[in-house]
Structure formats: structure tokens, C-alpha cells
Amino acid sequence: LVVGFVLSAMKTLCEIATPNFAMCGQVKGNWRDFRYFPEAWQPRNAIVVRMDAALHFANADKFKDFVLRAAWLCESTNTKFEYVLVDAKSINRVDLSGCNTLVDLAKVLSVHKQKLVLANLQAPVASTLHAAGVRDEMLEHDGHLCLDLDDAVALADSTSPDWTAAGDAVTRLVEMNANVLMTSPAELEGI
């Protein structure tokens, strides 16, 4: 029984530390992994990447390495892009290591004249990023937060994108999340 528990715990830790990473393209309105859908459409001025796990200390460096490798791979094939869009719909939590990784990634990409955009943000993740000051630090390096990946693609494809509305929508989501968290169970019963 103890051996089974230890093996199960080790397997779980290994899975947490090595999540699925994907470069994505669009197929019939959905963003899919290029490995399985090589015919998927790719935005003109951006690459789209995804991680299917929480972003925390155990996998933050692997996430950063994956994003930088994906950008390098596209550059090496003469694919020109200005934005690295992270489809964050599968990221349900971010810890401080993950927040620091995102800021570091925005800094590294900005040196290469590329911008990091986190899209499809869930409310708890947006709130954590806001509380940690990630949005402000990303803005210093031309990075952005956006609620919807399709909106991020449209803005990245624009000749003069205005990210203000996207940032304001994230701020509203953070405020709504704070209000929901402050709602008492008694108030919820009346709903």
C-alpha cells in the first residue's frame, strides 16, 4: 500500500512538472495543436502557444523554454511575427514563480521586438496576475492581457492595434471576480 502511494505521488509530481505544450492554429473556429492538425491556419503576425496546466514553480521554466523555442523555430523558418499569443484557457492557477516567468518572458521577447499577450484568461488567473502587478510590468515591455484569443489575434493582425479596451475588459473581470469572492453564502442562497 505504501509503495503504491509513493509511486502514485511520484507519477502525479512528474505530470505536474511536465505538462502538455502546444503550438496552435485555427481549425473551424477552434484552436488546435499543430501536431495533430498541420493544416491549421496560423495568424499572419503572431504565433499561438498553449500550456495545459497550472503555471507554477514546478513547470514555469519549462513553459518559458517552450515559448522561446517555439519563437526561435518560427524565426528559423523565416516566419515573421510580432506577437506571441498564449492561449491561457487551460491555465487555472498561477503562483508567484509563474508570474515572474511571464514578466521575464515579456522582457526577453521585447529584446527581439516581439510582444507577449496572454489571452483567454480565467478570472482567478487574471486576479492573481493583477495582484502581483504582472499586467503593469508586461505593459512596460509591450505585453498585454486579453480576455479572448480571437480578439487578441485580431488586434495582433491590425496595423495599429489599440490594446486599451482589451486591458479594460481584464480589469472589469478582476473587479467582478473580487465581488464574487466577497459574496457571502447567504447572499448566494437568494440567487
Side-chain angles (χ1 to χ4, degrees), residues 27-42:
V27 178
K28 297 180 183 175
N30 296 308
W31 292 92
R32 304 289 188 187
D33 189 333
F34 270 124
R35 291 174 293 191
Y36 306 110
F37 297 90
E39 76 284 357
W41 172 81
Q42 185 172 346

Side-chain angles (χ1 to χ4, degrees), residues 116-160:
L116 179 66
V117 178
L118 303 177
N120 276 346
L121 290 169
Q122 295 183 29
V125 172
S127 295
T128 300
L129 297 176
H130 177 76
V134 171
R135 178 183 179 206
D136 295 334
E137 290 193 55
M138 283 181 60
L139 282 171
E140 290 176 18
H141 303 285
D142 293 323
H144 304 282
L145 304 179
C146 190
L147 291 185
D148 184 73
L149 184 57
D150 292 330
D151 290 346
V153 168
L155 285 166
D157 203 32
S158 172
T159 55
S160 57

